[in-house]
């Protein structure tokens, strides 16, 4: 069994597009089952499955019935065409597809419409007919279109697309990698490039044969809201949704802030990412160790209690919340065990799925979307995932 989330995503999108009428009939059923939720103005968000977190909108006919369902690709189209290069066709049918790909970064930048520069310019405002400069505030602007991308501070340093992506060229030369995809999102505020790691991870060879395809993605930001980062992920980025999934499901990440001198650390990043293949091998060994070890339901409950311990003076509300979490995780584990068996590997998959897709975010001063994005960026639950992984490894020994 090969786990290729990209193929699953493309198939799902293609099926949606080709079966609009059937999808419209089932649409309300998905809402009723809690798989899709409305977020306003005929826009919806998927809550379960491969494309959890994806947003889309519907077009309705004059009678108010659903006539078409449109995925939100989020690609930059300010130059008249979608800014995307890919080695395989995309679900949305946009971009330049080069079967077999290329190994030349300049060709990738040209085909992906990323061969433009960004400049930082002073922020100005008008006061009583006079144009004044707002001290310590600047805008990042695309030089090819003049479009403002974001408001930044004096210390913000622009990272040009080529500079962020070019050090991956060494890896493509050393490991015979091919640029899989590249493009720009949200008018150029976010840019990305993806290469596939040739060695996949196979969990339980001869048994589950769960093969995980891995990609190495470099993601740049020009709007001042995010750092530049490099992630090892099962997703090939081809749109705004898959860019979000790539960071959400990253198994390894490395990032730098947009500050002066930060790009000097690219050599450090190159060394870290050059170890990716070794990291993948070690990860495969550990996961196979987990898949070969059985786990009792009581042991799974002990794991959950250890990850989310209750204080002795816990309130009734905290106790009730803990009980609901235990019940949900128990059900998820039992369901997953029907496919994978009651193993440590199943327990890890259950915990990861809960943290990534089921855990409710209750922000104090942010919308839920922003809170989830901030949680993914800051790796809020990485410590819990790591703790669960290490505790399960101890059980396997």
């Amino acid at each position: 069994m090969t786990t290729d989330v990209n193929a699953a995503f493309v198939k799902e999108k293609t099926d949606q597009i080709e079966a609009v009428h059937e999808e419209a009939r089932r649409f309300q059923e998905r809402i009723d089952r809690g798989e899709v939720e409305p977020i306003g103005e005929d826009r919806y968000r998927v809550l379960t499955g491969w494309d959890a977190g994806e947003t889309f909108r519907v077009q309705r006919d004059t009678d108010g019935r659903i006539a078409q369902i449109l995925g939100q690709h989020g690609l930059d189209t300010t130059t008249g065409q979608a800014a995307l290069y890919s080695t395989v066709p995309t679900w949305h049918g946009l971009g330049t597809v080069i079967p077999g790909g290329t190994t030349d970064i300049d060709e990738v930048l040209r085909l992906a419409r990323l061969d433009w520069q960004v400049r930082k310019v002073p922020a100005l405002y008008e006061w009583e007919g006079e144009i004044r400069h707002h001290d310590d505030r600047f805008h990042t602007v695309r030089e090819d279109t003049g479009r403002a991308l974001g408001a930044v501070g004096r210390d913000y340093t622009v990272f040009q697309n080529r500079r962020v992506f070019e050090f991956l060229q060494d890896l493509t030369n050393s490991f015979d990698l091919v640029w899989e995809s590249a493009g720009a999102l949200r008018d150029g505020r976010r840019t990305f490039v993806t290469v596939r790691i040739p060695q996949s991870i196979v969990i339980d060879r001869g048994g589950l044969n769960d093969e995980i395809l891995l990609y190495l993605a470099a993601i740049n930001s020009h709007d001042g809201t995010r750092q530049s980062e490099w992630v090892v992920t099962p997703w090939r980025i081809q749109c705004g949704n898959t860019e979000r999934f790539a960071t959400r499901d990253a198994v390894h990440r490395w990032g730098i802030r947009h500050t002066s001198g930060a790009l000097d650390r690219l050599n450090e990043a190159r060394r870290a990412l050059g170890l990716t293949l070794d990291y993948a091998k070690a990860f495969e060994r550990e996961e196979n160790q987990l898949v070969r070890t059985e786990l009792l339901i009581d042991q799974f409950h002990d794991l959950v209690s250890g990850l989310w311990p209750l204080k002795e003076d816990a309130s009734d509300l905290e106790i009730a919340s803990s009980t609901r979490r235990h019940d949900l995780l128990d059900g998820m584990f039992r369901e997953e065990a029907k496919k994978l068996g009651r193993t440590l590997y199943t327990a890890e998959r259950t915990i990861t799925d809960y943290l990534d897709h089921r855990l409710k975010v209750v922000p104090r001063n942010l919308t839920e979307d922003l809170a989830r994005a901030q949680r993914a960026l800051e790796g809020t639950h990485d410590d819990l995932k790591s703790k669960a992984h290490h505790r399960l490894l101890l059980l396997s020994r």
Side-chain angles (χ1 to χ4, degrees):
M1 178 178 65
T2 299
T3 302
D4 185 349
V5 292
N6 306 283
F9 178 73
V10 170
K11 182 180 184 305
E12 182 162 338
K13 294 306 304 176
T14 301
D15 289 347
Q16 287 176 353
I17 293 172
E18 292 179 350
V20 169
H21 296 298
E22 177 65 16
E23 187 71 16
R25 185 184 66 79
R26 298 182 314 197
F27 188 65
Q28 188 58 49
E29 295 178 6
R30 295 188 71 190
I31 295 177
D32 294 341
R33 290 195 301 267
E35 297 174 1
V36 176
E37 67 175 354
I39 54 178
E41 298 180 350
D42 270 339
R43 295 176 63 247
Y44 295 83
R45 176 170 46 233
V46 180
L47 300 178
T48 63
W50 291 110
D51 53 352
E54 180 198 357
T55 61
F56 60 91
R57 64 185 177 88
V58 300
Q59 288 184 343
R60 301 181 183 274
D61 58 24
T62 54
D63 295 326
R65 295 174 301 187
I66 296 175
Q68 193 172 12
I69 297 175
L70 304 171
Q72 304 295 285
H73 55 72
L75 293 168
D76 170 36
T77 57
T78 55
T79 61
Q81 290 183 285
L84 177 69
Y85 148 86
S86 178
T87 59
V88 296
T90 61
W91 65 266
H92 43 65
L94 301 175
T96 302
V97 178
I98 306 295
T102 177
T103 58
D104 183 77
I105 185 174
D106 291 309
E107 185 73 358
V108 169
L109 292 171
R110 183 184 67 81
L111 293 172
R113 298 179 176 272
L114 291 175
D115 51 350
W116 38 266
Q117 302 284 305
V118 175
R119 187 190 311 171
K120 189 169 77 170
V121 300
L124 306 176
Y125 66 96
E126 181 180 354
W127 178 255
E128 295 182 347
E130 178 185 0
I131 301 298
R132 297 185 178 184
H133 175 208
H134 185 175
D135 293 339
D136 297 323
R137 299 302 297 169
F138 297 81
H139 291 292
T140 50
V141 178
R142 280 181 61 163
E143 291 188 354
D144 63 333
T145 64
R147 184 177 292 268
L149 302 179
V152 299
R154 178 178 296 277
D155 295 333
Y156 180 90
T157 299
V158 172
F159 295 167
Q160 303 298 347
N161 294 326
R162 195 185 197 288
R163 186 73 176 96
V164 170
F165 301 156
E166 66 182 356
F167 78 98
L168 292 182
Q169 184 75 53
D170 291 348
L171 295 180
T172 61
N173 293 337
S174 301
F175 298 105
D176 196 28
L177 307 184
V178 172
W179 303 99
E180 285 279 339
S181 66
L185 304 166
R186 298 176 56 232
D187 298 338
R189 293 176 176 85
R190 299 273 288 170
T191 60
F192 62 86
V193 68
T194 310
V195 297
R196 179 176 168 182
I197 298 173
Q199 286 86 355
S200 58
I201 293 174
V202 180
I203 310 300
D204 192 23
R205 293 181 186 271
L208 293 176
N209 278 325
D210 192 359
E211 182 181 9
I212 302 173
L213 306 178
L214 290 179
Y215 297 85
L216 179 58
I219 305 170
N220 195 18
S221 169
H222 294 300
D223 61 3
T225 63
R226 300 278 293 272
Q227 63 179 350
S228 291
E229 59 183 337
W230 295 263
V231 298
V232 179
T233 177
W235 289 97
R236 179 198 297 113
I237 305 177
Q238 293 181 321
C239 62
N241 290 312
T242 47
E243 186 266 344
R244 184 173 64 254
F245 302 158
T247 55
R248 179 194 70 188
D249 297 339
V251 296
H252 187 62
R253 70 179 69 215
W254 195 92
I256 57 175
R257 297 172 60 84
H258 286 255
T259 56
S260 177
L263 284 177
D264 295 338
R265 298 174 60 202
L266 283 181
N267 285 333
E268 179 184 339
R270 184 184 289 109
R271 288 192 296 272
L273 295 173
L275 297 174
T276 294
L277 298 182
D278 292 334
Y279 169 82
K281 293 175 184 176
F283 180 77
E284 179 177 326
R285 285 195 300 270
E286 291 182 354
E287 294 301 292
N288 278 308
Q289 193 170 331
L290 298 183
V291 84
R292 289 192 294 265
T293 308
E294 292 185 356
L295 183 71
L296 301 175
I297 289 291
D298 288 345
Q299 291 177 301
F300 179 73
H301 288 171
D302 290 341
L303 171 68
V304 173
S305 297
L307 294 174
W308 289 278
L310 264 180
K311 297 178 295 185
E312 292 185 2
D313 59 345
S315 65
D316 291 342
L317 185 63
E318 290 172 327
I319 293 174
S321 176
S322 176
T323 301
R324 285 194 298 271
R325 178 170 51 241
H326 269 72
D327 291 344
L328 174 59
L329 284 166
D330 177 87
M332 291 173 63
F333 177 73
R334 292 175 186 271
E335 189 65 29
E336 193 76 3
K338 293 178 182 178
K339 298 176 289 183
L340 305 177
R342 292 186 179 181
T343 68
L344 301 180
Y345 179 64
T346 303
E348 182 174 53
R349 294 247 310 220
T350 300
I351 296 296
T352 300
D353 182 46
Y354 171 76
L355 291 172
D356 286 344
H357 310 306
R358 302 293 188 90
L359 184 61
K360 275 290 185 181
V361 176
V362 185
R364 295 179 180 176
N365 56 0
L366 293 172
T367 66
E368 182 170 321
D369 279 347
L370 287 176
R372 285 188 184 276
Q374 179 171 306
R375 182 188 70 188
L377 175 63
E378 296 176 351
T380 303
H381 296 310
D382 287 352
D383 286 344
L384 266 179
K385 292 178 185 177
S386 179
K387 185 182 295 185
H389 181 76
H390 288 301
R391 291 188 178 188
L392 289 168
L393 279 179
L394 288 175
L395 286 175
S396 72
R397 294 165 185 161

